[in-house]
Amino acid sequence: MNSSMTPGSPHHESAPPAPALVARIDALLPQTQCTRCGYPACRDYAAAIAGNEADINQCPPGGAAGIAALAGLLGREPKSLNPANGVEKPMQIARIDELVCIGCTKCIQVCPVDAIVGASKQMHTILARECSGCELCIPACPVDCISMADDPIGAAPMQRAPHFRQRFLARELRLARERDTREAGIAARKAQVHGAAGARNAVADAIARAKARKSGAANS
């Protein structure tokens, strides 16, 4: 098992964790959606903790305070942050070197809180007040034009967690709408193609029947 997912206690097959417990654990996470815990989102990490599939010390943005809060909620002993998941550090936000940016949109695609604005082949900008400091845009950038800088707001991640959660959920809804629109468009095009094919087949059948009648009349 990956060291970043070491369970807090031996895991046995059991029923899924109670949603209420998952929600209480998720409320203690910073909602940066950085994936450093080894899970794709904070709520997934919360579910893993609730199901004894992950330990409480895998969230670098939450740091020691977050670990202590989780330990208090779950009746466990606090422990040091697992170095396999990273190190605790002050809140930072991403910055784009606008002179180097090529407008590839790869950073926009991976930002979990829609904090990057821009268009294809146009310079991108990061909205400082919306950036959660997840750093996911850095490896996505093909020209290395993104770096991290101190957060001018100066707030700890947990202080802004509700805002980050709201933006993450809004992004998920947007992506779901876009996916539904794409799928509806594909279905409509398929129906159009099938309809056209059906019409062509009907015409071909009519022509074939007409030829058959003419052939029968000529032979009679």
Side-chain angles (χ1 to χ4, degrees):
M1 179 179 290
N2 189 307
S3 60
S4 68
M5 299 184 187
T6 303
S9 58
H11 176 63
H12 303 284
E13 291 296 328
S14 60
L21 178 58
V22 174
R24 293 177 67 189
I25 294 173
D26 188 47
L28 297 178
L29 299 177
Q31 305 303 314
T32 55
Q33 318 301 339
C34 67
T35 75
R36 295 188 191 106
C37 60
Y39 293 87
C42 293
R43 66 184 177 202
D44 297 299
Y45 178 41
I49 293 175
N52 285 325
E53 296 175 353
D55 214 337
I56 61 174
N57 64 339
Q58 297 176 203
C59 176
I67 295 170
L70 291 170
L73 172 66
L74 300 171
R76 302 181 189 176
E77 288 294 323
K79 55 178 64 179
S80 299
L81 177 67
N82 187 340
N85 298 103
V87 297
E88 182 176 4
K89 57 186 178 182
M91 177 73 184
Q92 292 186 313
I93 62 171
R95 294 283 178 84
I96 292 178
D97 185 338
E98 299 175 355
L99 296 177
V100 181
C101 175
I102 59 174
C104 68
T105 77
K106 292 184 182 298
C107 58
I108 293 177
Q109 296 170 34
V110 300
C111 178
V113 291
D114 277 346
I116 307 176
V117 294
S120 179
K121 299 182 180 179
Q122 300 294 322
M123 180 270 296
H124 297 349
T125 298
I126 293 177
L127 305 176
R129 290 186 173 275
E130 314 300 347
C131 178
S132 69
C134 70
E135 300 184 20
L136 295 177
C137 55
I138 292 179
C141 178
V143 293
D144 295 328
C145 72
I146 305 177
S147 59
M148 301 303 293
D150 291 339
D151 179 14
I153 298 177
M158 277 307 302
Q159 292 177 280
R160 302 175 63 195
H163 181 64
F164 293 151
R165 181 188 288 107
Q166 182 180 30
R167 291 194 65 85
F168 175 66
L169 294 177
R171 177 178 184 269
E172 287 201 318
L173 288 174
R174 175 180 65 78
L175 293 177
R177 287 194 300 269
E178 292 175 354
R179 183 169 56 252
D180 290 344
T181 299
R182 286 196 303 271
E183 291 176 354
I186 292 172
R189 287 192 293 275
K190 285 183 177 179
Q192 187 177 26
V193 169
H194 291 160
R200 287 195 297 271
N201 291 337
V203 171
D205 289 343
I207 293 173
R209 288 193 299 270
K211 287 181 177 179
R213 285 194 298 270
K214 284 185 178 181
S215 176
N219 295 328
S220 61

